[in-house]
Amino acid sequence: VIFADIMGFEELALSMTSEESLARLNDLIRTFDEAAERHGVERVRTTRQSYLASCGLGTPRVDNARRAVEFALELGDILERYSTQQGVQLGLRAGLDSGKVTSGLIGRARVVYDMWGDAVNLAFRVQGDSSEPGIYVTQRVADRIPDSFTLQAAGDVDTQSGLQRVWRVESPVVVVEG
């Protein structure tokens, strides 16, 4: 589960008309969707400044944790490029967890696909517990990603099943042969 929040968008939107902010948000979400497709990530839903997605739910993938982290890293790169091009300051704060979830179509008059469960709740809490941009993963995700990612301890989150260790993804490790 990937719960990503675009930091700074609300402040940016205050300086624009509703049409302008909608157009900018659409540009960003479309770019996020393109990245999701490249990484085999499925968007579940968006809100004004948040993007909820999963990897391995609709299409099972043995490398879903790696794909989810790489996707989150690309979202950060997208926002960095956008900020530079537009002269604004946007950042990414993402929480990732792995575990059981339930998903399906909800409603009758207006059917919406949604996903819920402990992994969704924890991904949301992990990203929301930090005021700093970054990609934050639970121990369950950290255990499933390759050593090509540098992780730094970022504290703990209290859950019903006890404390969950949280890690911040610093950067991928690049190995140069020669």
Side-chain angles (χ1 to χ4, degrees), residues 99-176:
K100 291 185 178 183
V101 299
T102 303
S103 64
L105 298 174
I106 307 296
R108 185 174 189 173
R110 186 167 178 242
V111 178
V112 176
Y113 179 75
D114 202 359
M115 178 173 63
W116 59 95
D118 289 341
V120 177
N121 295 339
L122 192 51
F124 174 75
R125 287 189 54 209
V126 166
Q127 70 84 30
D129 276 0
S130 178
S131 60
E132 295 295 315
I135 299 165
Y136 299 91
V137 300
T138 62
Q139 186 65 52
R140 291 187 288 231
V141 174
D143 289 343
R144 299 178 69 207
I145 58 176
D147 292 338
S148 57
F149 297 104
T150 302
L151 302 177
Q152 181 178 24
D156 298 302
V157 174
D158 195 15
T159 68
Q160 290 178 346
S161 58
L163 286 179
Q164 263 289 334
R165 175 61 103 187
V166 177
W167 301 90
R168 181 183 168 130
V169 178
E170 291 300 315
S171 63
V173 176
V174 179
V175 178
V176 179

Side-chain angles (χ1 to χ4, degrees), residues 6-13 21 24-25 28 48-49 90:
I6 304 170
M7 298 179 70
F9 189 81
E10 285 297 319
E11 294 80 12
L12 176 62
S21 69
R24 289 208 181 184
L25 184 59
L28 286 170
R48 173 112 170 121
Q49 63 189 30
L90 299 178

Side-chain angles (χ1 to χ4, degrees), residues 23-90:
R24 289 208 181 184
L25 184 59
N26 269 326
D27 288 344
L28 286 170
I29 297 301
R30 285 184 187 124
T31 307
F32 286 8
D33 286 344
E34 291 166 3
E37 190 172 324
R38 281 192 298 278
H39 291 281
V41 169
E42 300 108 16
R43 173 170 52 125
V44 175
R45 65 178 151 92
T46 62
T47 63
R48 173 112 170 121
Q49 63 189 30
S50 298
Y51 193 97
L52 175 63
S54 69
C55 185
L57 183 61
T59 303
R61 300 182 185 281
V62 295
D63 60 346
N64 61 348
R66 178 192 55 81
R67 287 172 178 262
V69 171
E70 288 175 348
F71 170 67
L73 288 167
E74 185 169 348
L75 295 186
D77 292 343
I78 289 167
L79 289 176
E80 188 176 309
R81 280 192 309 274
Y82 186 86
S83 293
T84 300
Q85 292 168 352
Q86 301 294 321
V88 298
Q89 189 61 39
L90 299 178

